[in-house]
Each structure stands twice: as structure tokens, then as C-alpha cells.
Amino acid sequence: VYKRQDEIRAGLDVAGPGNDETVLVVRQGPRVLSVDAWASSDPRGEVVDALRKYKDKGVTVGVDSVGIGYYMAQHLRDAGYEVVEINVGAKPYDKERFVNLKAELYWGLRERFTEGEVCGEFDERMIAQLCGVRYTYDSRGRVMIEGKDAIRRRGGKSPDRAEAMMLAFSSSNALQWGPVDLKKEIIF
């Protein structure tokens, strides 16, 4: 259920030079408020500009902090934003069910969609990327998300929009204080 007083959260998947996009997804509760994407190799100014209208509302930005994302997280922090650095390659909190944090967070997003807890308007690229996220199980029966190299081998592109959506709906509670019940509300 969407409430106007729900906190505003954002997810930012940062891309470097090349064909990938830097994507920002902003949500309030279950409602996606905006999706912005840039093909620029240095979209720092555009990202700060897109976040500006949410700054006074206390937006918290979850940033994939591996590689170039680390520097974007620092830039946003320097610009006065609350930032949660998320290393999706880190160990999951439910080590028996998931290979890494990325699998755990994507599974949480999957659960939200299944329960009807995500709403908003999405473009065709977002829908295609969300539908294109594949998972499998490792030899221990843990969920594992297909890597970007495997996606490219089968002719796909980096799922930047899906990654930003996953980050927007990730949980700093899970990231900082331990396991979360994926059937319950997951918020920063």
C-alpha cells in the first residue's frame, strides 16, 4: 500500500565508458517515481540534477559501490546525499539460499513483484531487462543470478535498468544488520 509519507529511496547502477547506461530509479514505498538513464561516460552532474527534487525529502541512494560506483557514491555523499554503498558481490545474509548478495536482493525484488508490491510506469527496456534476469542453482542448491558476461554471450546487454531497480528496492537493514524476511516489507 502506497502512502505519501513513505520514505523516498533510489537505486543507482553506474556504468563507465562504453555501451552500458548509468541508471537511476527513484521510488516512494512501492511506487516507482522516476527512471532516468544516461549513456555518458561521466553523468555525475545529470545524476545530481535528477536527485535534486528529492533532496529536501530525504532521499537515500543505494549505489552499486564496486568499481566506478565507489567514486559516484563519494560524489553523491559530497553533494549532501545520504548514500548506502552496496557491494552486490558480497556474501548474502542467507548463505544457505543464495550465492551472493546480488542473488538475495534480486530474489527480494522478485518477491515484491509476485506480491504486487511494485507499481509505476516502466518503459519497454526496463520490462525487457527485468524479464531477462535469469537465475539457476549452484551445486549446493543456492540461487545464483546470471552474470553480465553470460548475458552478453547470449546476445543481451547489461541489465542496467533492472540492476538500478533491484538497488532501489534493496534493504540497508539486510546490508547492515543481518537477514531480512523476504516476505515482509523491505526498505532501506
Side-chain angles (χ1 to χ4, degrees), residues 3 5 8 36 39 47 58 68 71 73 78 92-93 98 106-107 114 118-119 129 145 152 155 161 171 177-178 182:
K3 300 175 190 124
Q5 71 270 18
I8 297 177
D36 295 291
V47 171
I68 196 167
Y71 300 103
D78 290 345
Y93 292 93
F98 304 102
Y106 259 125
W107 201 264
T114 300
V118 178
C119 59
Q129 287 182 15
I145 300 297
R152 287 185 182 107
R161 293 169 189 239
S171 167
W177 301 298
L182 295 176

Side-chain angles (χ1 to χ4, degrees), residues 70-143:
Y70 170 82
Y71 300 103
M72 180 66 85
Q74 298 310 312
H75 179 72
L76 292 175
R77 199 171 276 120
D78 290 345
Y81 291 94
E82 183 178 337
V83 175
V84 176
E85 294 183 38
I86 303 170
N87 177 352
V88 297
K91 291 180 183 178
Y93 292 93
D94 186 345
K95 295 174 185 76
E96 291 185 24
R97 264 185 90 189
F98 304 102
V99 169
N100 57 20
L101 186 59
K102 181 178 188 174
E104 192 167 27
L105 296 179
Y106 259 125
W107 201 264
L109 180 60
R110 176 184 187 268
E111 293 290 321
R112 282 179 169 274
F113 273 108
T114 300
E115 298 295 321
E117 295 176 0
V118 178
C119 59
E121 293 187 28
F122 312 117
D123 63 19
E124 290 180 23
R125 289 169 104 181
M126 173 70 81
I127 293 167
Q129 287 182 15
L130 287 167
C131 292
V133 174
R134 294 182 181 181
Y135 69 92
T136 187
Y137 296 93
D138 72 359
S139 62
R140 294 173 47 195
R142 299 177 303 168
V143 174

Side-chain angles (χ1 to χ4, degrees), residues 9-62:
R9 305 294 180 219
L12 181 65
D13 184 57
V14 182
N19 295 326
D20 296 343
E21 296 177 306
T22 294
V23 180
L24 176 69
V25 172
V26 180
R27 72 173 178 95
Q28 186 171 22
R31 178 170 302 284
V32 173
L33 302 175
S34 66
V35 178
D36 295 291
W38 303 273
S40 165
S41 62
D42 184 10
R44 290 177 297 175
E46 290 93 334
V47 171
V48 169
D49 183 56
L51 285 168
R52 185 172 287 122
K53 63 184 165 190
Y54 305 108
K55 190 171 187 178
D56 292 341
K57 297 174 184 172
V59 65
T60 301
V61 186

Side-chain angles (χ1 to χ4, degrees), residues 135-185:
Y135 69 92
T136 187
Y137 296 93
D138 72 359
S139 62
R140 294 173 47 195
R142 299 177 303 168
V143 174
M144 185 169 59
I145 300 297
E146 179 181 36
K148 291 180 183 180
D149 289 339
I151 292 169
R152 287 185 182 107
R153 279 194 300 276
R154 64 179 170 86
K157 293 184 177 185
S158 177
D160 306 311
R161 293 169 189 239
E163 298 271 318
M165 178 78 76
M166 178 260 300
L167 293 167
F169 282 93
S170 67
S171 167
S172 69
N173 289 344
L175 300 171
Q176 296 173 12
W177 301 298
V180 293
D181 182 348
L182 295 176
K183 292 285 188 183
K184 292 184 178 177
E185 181 69 16

